[in-house]
Amino acid sequence: MNLPPYEPDPATTTRYLFFTGKGGVGKTSLSCATALKLAEAGRRVLLVSTDPASNLDEVLEFPLTNQPQPIPGAPGLQALNINPVAAAEAYRERVIGPMRGLLPEAALRSMAEQLSGSCTVEIAAFDEFSGLIGNPETTTAYDHVIFDTAPTGHTLRLMSLAKAWDQFLDQNTSGTSCLGPLAGLAKQRTIYEGTVTTLADATATTLVLVSRPQLAALTEAERTSAELRALGVGNQQLVINGIFATNCPADVTAQAMQRRGLAALTAAQAFIGRLPSFIVPLKPINILGLGGLRVLLQRDGGTTCASTPVNDWTAPAMESLETLVADLERQGSGVVMTMGKGGVGKTTVAAAIAVMLARRGHAVHLSTTDPAAHVAKTLAGQVVGLTLSKIDPALETAAYQAEVMAAQGGKMDAAGRALLAEDLRSPCTEEIAVFRAFAREVGHGANRFVVLDTAPTGHTLLLLDASEAYNRELQRQTRSTQPESVMRLLERLRDPVFTRILLVTLPEATPVHEAAALQEDLRRAHIEPFAWVINQSLLHSGSCDPLLQCREESEHRYLREVVQKHATRTAWLPWQPEEPTGPDALARLAATGLKTTSR
């Protein structure tokens, strides 16, 4: 398949660009490289991250805030992170501030409490996002505004909110919502409408779907393309990042990597042919700093290692996944959660653990909180004692709405039921329903093993942080006692016997550092990770391909960093010539050990 290289052209690039795709495909690197290339062509560019677990700072090697910061060494380029927590604080002040001196202090405290939930965090972050699109006055200083978005599921939610809140404001008659008085939202109505219009305008907005030459990533890009078209975002293009070709015919690893990429591209040929598609070759270095970003979009980045090879190097002590499972099973039940950056293999690790526990005779339930997960495809077969599910936001929302209406509607007159139904149509309701489903799945760990494949870092943190705030919102909507699973969620997550969290990473800078930041956030919430899992390592691959040798060499510092600085226990999994799909392949992966000889 002969596709052209990705080369953003300042003359034809639209004012707004959105980079989205499955976790780990290179959205941040490509959005940063595009922004830099446009700035170096003389354009004024604002680069924005909408990811709660943004790593723009690391890729740009410059600390960012929620205000535009000039990037040293790149005239014309500024960048910012939308900070959901800071945005929520500003939103609360916009709503409550005008009421000070007019309402009693008790009423103000009640409003602040009502606006302390995760719904407020979401809408506040969305306000920041929509303000950059729906209100042209905020970005008049820039020729282009480029958005580095969170992994697919979170991005779809963000973009759908424009239409969802616009419709909710149009239909609402009560003047209230899960966010309190609608006055705070109604003031944004023009901006929300402008956001919907701009996203649908092909002359203003381009959606860049980023993928790897992997079937799962291309399949997700195709699904995302269709869903965003349904939302009105029709001007799309595809960039396939990490294309690899080798000149080592006897190299098993290099040949397998090339073969898998070609097979994925062939399988997705129809989708690739439906929209403008481009490629970016795999590079031998971690894409960090302005120098690395310039290399990313070079047609030939070369195969020179960033540092002098270290030929006498011994890997630090790391376990197999199977040894971790042997310890996990000793309690006989409980919750195992895989967490980390998108694209690091959380789903594969979760499925491998579930298969091994089931084959050891335990009752196991494998589930996911990731809207874009592919658990069923990874498992690809039945295992005795293992059941499978997925938290479906639409189904959970409908079930929750029906439950609340049944519990409360019978006690109300027609007008009261109409107001309750209106309240439950708020976009916040989906977040509440998904949270309840998450708590329910965790609760099932009381009498069996529950293995949870979680969404990428930012979405997972918002879900965990929301526990107490969601409980307050649930009390407001249902006015009744909540299920035990909701009431005991934090207690169970903090219990190291009941819940074991595995931080999954790749031996690369951004996944390792994002996992380390996640670990610190978990510890602040009094949740201690059980172990780290380093996945898809090229260590001891024996490759003769210069590019893969460079990439293996670059792993050394991150393997040491995880074992010596971050983790109390570390499991290691090698890059697999064949996709680890199906129970037998997953079991073999988990049993893989690490050779300890130096190279």
Side-chain angles (χ1 to χ4, degrees), residues 207-283:
L207 182 86
V208 183
L209 295 155
V210 183
S211 181
R212 292 274 183 182
Q214 300 164 352
L215 190 56
L218 286 162
T219 300
E220 183 164 322
E222 183 173 13
R223 179 183 62 81
T224 303
S225 173
E227 292 191 27
L228 288 171
R229 283 187 192 281
L231 291 171
V233 187
N235 185 24
Q236 303 178 3
Q237 57 183 239
L238 174 67
V239 177
I240 305 171
N241 184 31
I243 296 290
F244 174 72
T246 184
N247 292 318
C248 291
D251 188 328
V252 174
T253 300
Q255 288 294 324
M257 192 174 290
Q258 178 175 277
R259 182 176 64 253
R260 279 170 51 174
L262 288 173
L265 294 176
T266 301
Q269 191 167 4
F271 164 58
I272 294 171
R274 285 199 296 270
L275 69 170
S277 297
F278 309 90
I279 60 170
V280 175
L282 184 67
K283 302 299 181 182

Side-chain angles (χ1 to χ4, degrees), residues 34 37 128 152 177 211 226 245 269 299 328 354 400 417 421 436 450 501 559 562 573 587:
T34 300
K37 194 170 186 70
E128 299 283 321
T152 309
S177 75
S211 181
Q269 191 167 4
R299 291 199 180 196
L328 290 171
Y400 174 64
R417 286 193 299 273
R436 293 221 324 172
V450 173
I501 290 175
L559 294 172
V562 171
L573 294 171

Side-chain angles (χ1 to χ4, degrees), residues 21 40 95 127 322 328 403 434 468 509 549 566:
E40 290 182 335
V95 174
D127 269 2
E322 187 175 39
L328 290 171
E403 178 186 328
V434 170
E468 291 172 330
Q549 287 177 347
H566 301 307

Side-chain angles (χ1 to χ4, degrees), residues 93 164-165 230 367 449 490 505 594:
E93 183 56 30
W165 279 110
S367 187
F449 280 107
L490 268 182
T505 185
L594 176 67

Side-chain angles (χ1 to χ4, degrees), residues 489-546:
L489 178 60
L490 268 182
E491 170 198 337
R492 284 168 166 162
L493 293 176
R494 289 169 173 166
D495 182 351
V497 175
F498 190 93
T499 300
R500 274 67 63 89
I501 290 175
L502 303 181
L503 297 179
V504 185
T505 185
L506 303 180
E508 300 172 8
T510 298
V512 166
H513 297 153
E514 187 166 315
L518 172 58
Q519 179 167 262
E520 291 307 306
D521 285 329
L522 290 169
R523 284 173 172 167
R524 279 193 289 272
H526 308 291
I527 300 171
E528 183 65 29
F530 177 76
W532 284 52
V533 179
I534 299 175
N535 192 27
Q536 299 179 27
S537 172
L538 288 169
L539 185 66
H540 301 318
S541 67
S543 177
C544 69
D545 187 277

Side-chain angles (χ1 to χ4, degrees), residues 17-32:
L17 289 91
F18 290 84
F19 286 77
T20 190
K22 182 176 169 62
V25 295
K27 297 182 299 296
T28 299
S29 298
L30 280 169
S31 62
C32 289

